[in-house]
Amino acid sequence: MWLWTRQEAKQIDELSIQSGLSAESLMETAGQNMAGQIFGLAPLAKTARVLCGPGNNGGDGFVVARELLKLGLEVQVVEISSSSELRAKKRSEFSGEILNAENFLKNPKPCDLWIDGLFGIGLSRDIDGVAFSLIQAVNRLKGIKIALDLPSGLEADTGNVLKISFQADFTLTVGRPKPGFYFNEGPRACGKIKIVDAGFPNEISKRVAKSTFLLTPALIRKWIPTRSSTDNKTKGGKTLICAGSPGMPGAALLACEAAARVGSGYVYCTEKEIIPFRPEVIPFSLTKNSLAKMSSILVGPGLGAGPKTFQWIQKLSKQPPPVVIDADALTVAAQKKFSPFPTNWIATPHAGELSRLLQITASEIEADRLSAARKAQQKWGGIFLLKGFHTVVAFPQVTVIIPFGNAALGKGGSGDVLAGMIAGFLSQGVPLQKAPLLAAALHGWMADQWLRDGKDILSLTPQDLLQMLPQTLKKWRPGKRVSRKS
């Protein structure tokens, strides 16, 4: 599903008005549809208070208040002074009680529904003053909380909070969800996300909103490799794992097993120490044509940051198989300024590794994960998969958000499993653009399933992920119904 960034949402609004739609008609359509959804979400609600800010988001709030009043609810508006002509018009059309925010704060009382129409997608400064006090007070009061388009105080693209954010049970977002709903504080602030039609022309939306994509289960299940009854191991291809070092075989063990678990026909490894523990893994010897015979290659986990790792990077840059570059290999690439990466390379850094590639801090990366992934791809080439909450995969033209995963994955070795999964899928012919998305989605979903099964968030290990893979693949195959909650 395509998402709307802040800039794209603004452009879609402007182009829609230029096409002949009025700002008022868009506001009316959005507000009426929001009111209908609110009534459906809380059919037993009797009282509602709508928080209306100074701009057009406040205008949406007044339309919602008017429509809820028509549906028989007892509705009050709590407002901050107006600065919008259209908002003022919608205010005049509301016949219910309007309370000044300062006066309301003297004696705030709970109600059945709290509806947030304070600030919209254009907010770029910290919330303070009476607006801060109003959001703080309402967040503490009982009642179902619903945000219009996005929770006030939440940055649309990053999920960062501008000092304070409305804490919604539901967010009724106009047109399409915004990227920030899936990062940082976004999931917590938004609650459940519902899409509302505001009447924007589909042609304009499709033309403008094409930078950021949210991966969905319906797509993922189509990419899982299949086998016929007559297929043999050659169907699974050959995966080379350039990982591990003497005394440090763990990363290689995890990556090799992950590649095998997802279906690689042959798994080779440069670290021969692991063979007694993984007899199915084939020791790899470098000869003139041995690299070219591989279907996919993973380089980096546990290799160390020495000269041999750089030699592997140089060798692999001249080979045709797709390469997953991870861990120590990324560190060495940053040190040696080895760029650009070949177009068939997939880099899989976490924020710390990416900070070395971009020469910015990890906290700066986490503050704007979309932008960081895009900058890395533009600077270094190839495909960039930024691990974390939530994983982002940056291609030359499109950035994809993986809406699965949680902090249970924050443990050494989890990334080695992911890298091995990507390489294993590549070896079976899953396209370069799909393999990292498929692997990251299944990887994150397993962590979510761990919590759904009642396990503690601290207890997931990489070995658990490997043990979960067989059942996960079976569950995700076409014909099986899969959702984020299943």
Side-chain angles (χ1 to χ4, degrees):
M1 174 173 58
W2 291 104
L3 305 181
W4 288 5
T5 66
R6 177 181 173 182
Q7 181 180 357
E8 288 167 347
K10 181 179 179 181
Q11 187 178 358
I12 289 167
D13 186 67
E14 292 172 349
L15 291 174
S16 297
I17 292 172
Q18 291 174 16
S19 74
L21 293 171
S22 69
E24 183 175 6
S25 70
L26 292 169
M27 183 178 288
E28 280 290 329
T29 302
Q32 291 174 23
N33 288 339
M34 285 173 173
Q37 286 215 27
I38 291 169
F39 191 74
L41 289 170
L44 300 180
K46 295 180 179 179
T47 59
R49 289 196 183 97
V50 185
L51 314 180
C52 290
N56 284 349
N57 198 246
D60 293 337
F62 272 109
V63 175
V64 169
R66 184 194 72 206
E67 295 301 310
L68 290 179
L69 198 64
K70 290 180 183 178
L71 291 169
L73 276 74
E74 179 186 325
V75 183
Q76 292 178 323
V77 166
V78 181
E79 72 166 349
I80 295 173
S81 59
S82 174
S83 63
S84 163
E85 183 178 338
L86 180 55
R87 186 260 198 204
K89 182 179 180 182
K90 296 303 153 188
R91 183 186 193 277
S92 69
E93 296 171 359
F94 175 64
S95 59
E97 184 179 7
I98 300 176
L99 306 174
N100 177 273
E102 288 91 338
N103 291 334
F104 167 78
L105 285 169
K106 293 175 182 177
N107 187 26
K109 295 180 180 179
C111 66
D112 296 333
L113 285 174
W114 294 98
I115 299 165
D116 167 31
L118 286 173
F119 301 106
I121 200 169
L123 184 69
S124 58
R125 59 174 176 79
D126 283 351
I127 293 177
D128 54 18
V130 67
F132 181 97
S133 299
L134 182 58
I135 292 173
Q136 186 179 57
V138 170
N139 282 345
R140 292 172 177 171
L141 292 171
K142 292 182 179 180
I144 299 171
K145 299 180 176 69
I146 299 174
L148 305 182
D149 197 26
L150 80 168
S152 291
L154 185 74
E155 283 190 329
D157 288 350
T158 67
N160 294 325
V161 168
L162 297 166
K163 197 172 183 181
I164 193 170
S165 171
F166 184 82
Q167 296 296 302
D169 298 301
F170 299 94
T171 293
L172 308 184
T173 193
V174 174
R176 288 290 182 271
K178 315 307 184 280
F181 292 1
Y182 305 96
F183 297 123
N184 296 312
E185 292 300 311
R188 186 178 306 170
C190 289
K192 294 181 180 178
I193 298 165
K194 305 287 184 180
I195 295 175
V196 174
D197 179 21
F200 293 107
N202 286 332
E203 178 274 328
I204 292 175
S205 176
K206 290 179 180 178
R207 174 157 45 96
V208 174
K210 53 185 181 182
S211 69
T212 311
F213 192 84
L214 182 74
L215 198 62
T216 60
L219 280 176
I220 299 163
R221 63 167 49 145
K222 296 177 182 178
W223 302 338
I224 295 178
T226 59
R227 291 284 191 277
S228 73
S229 59
T230 57
D231 286 335
N232 58 37
K233 56 192 174 185
T234 60
K235 174 76 172 182
K238 298 179 178 181
T239 304
L240 171 61
I241 308 295
C242 300
S245 54
M248 295 287 288
L253 283 165
L254 293 170
C256 285
E257 184 170 349
R261 289 273 184 189
V262 299
S264 178
Y266 300 85
V267 179
Y268 295 78
C269 188
T270 56
E271 180 47 60
K272 297 176 176 58
E273 273 190 21
I274 75 165
I275 304 304
F277 304 98
R278 291 287 181 273
E280 71 275 15
V281 175
I282 306 168
F284 179 79
S285 297
L286 184 63
T287 61
K288 184 177 180 181
N289 296 316
S290 57
L291 289 175
K293 293 177 181 179
M294 296 297 112
S295 308
S296 68
I297 301 172
L298 164 62
V299 61
L303 267 183
K308 288 185 178 180
T309 299
F310 186 54
Q311 291 170 10
W312 273 116
I313 293 173
Q314 291 177 308
K315 286 186 180 78
L316 297 178
S317 67
K318 302 172 184 177
Q319 298 298 322
V323 170
V324 181
I325 178 169
D326 185 40
D328 292 333
L330 288 171
T331 298
V332 171
Q335 292 171 348
K336 300 293 186 179
K337 296 181 171 55
F338 184 86
S339 68
F341 290 165
T343 56
N344 67 342
W345 279 28
I346 301 169
T348 56
H350 54 57
E353 290 158 346
L354 191 62
S355 70
R356 294 188 279 273
L357 292 165
L358 292 180
Q359 296 184 317
I360 59 177
T361 66
S363 59
E364 288 175 291
I365 289 168
E366 294 293 4
D368 192 349
R369 293 176 57 75
L370 271 181
S371 178
R374 287 169 177 158
K375 287 177 182 176
Q377 196 285 321
Q378 292 165 4
K379 178 178 178 180
W380 289 84
I383 296 168
F384 263 79
L385 184 153
L386 173 57
K387 294 177 286 196
F389 183 79
H390 282 114
T391 292
V392 178
V393 185
F395 300 92
Q397 302 299 327
V398 176
T399 308
V400 181
I401 299 170
I402 313 293
F404 305 98
N406 58 68
L409 291 170
K411 196 166 290 184
S414 294
D416 302 323
V417 172
L418 173 61
M421 290 172 63
I422 298 171
F425 283 133
L426 286 169
S427 73
Q428 298 170 80
V430 177
L432 186 73
Q433 293 77 15
K434 296 176 180 177
L437 303 180
L438 173 60
L442 297 181
H443 189 256
W445 185 87
M446 288 189 290
D448 292 340
Q449 187 62 44
W450 185 261
L451 300 188
R452 284 191 292 267
D453 289 342
K455 311 286 181 56
D456 189 80
I457 195 169
L458 301 179
S459 63
L460 180 68
T461 70
Q463 284 291 332
D464 293 321
L465 293 171
L466 293 170
Q467 294 302 314
M468 293 174 72
L469 263 172
Q471 188 62 30
T472 299
L473 289 168
K474 182 178 180 180
K475 189 176 186 68
W476 278 76
R477 287 208 174 278
K480 302 285 186 180
R481 184 176 180 181
V482 177
S483 71
R484 292 186 67 190
K485 295 181 180 180
S486 62

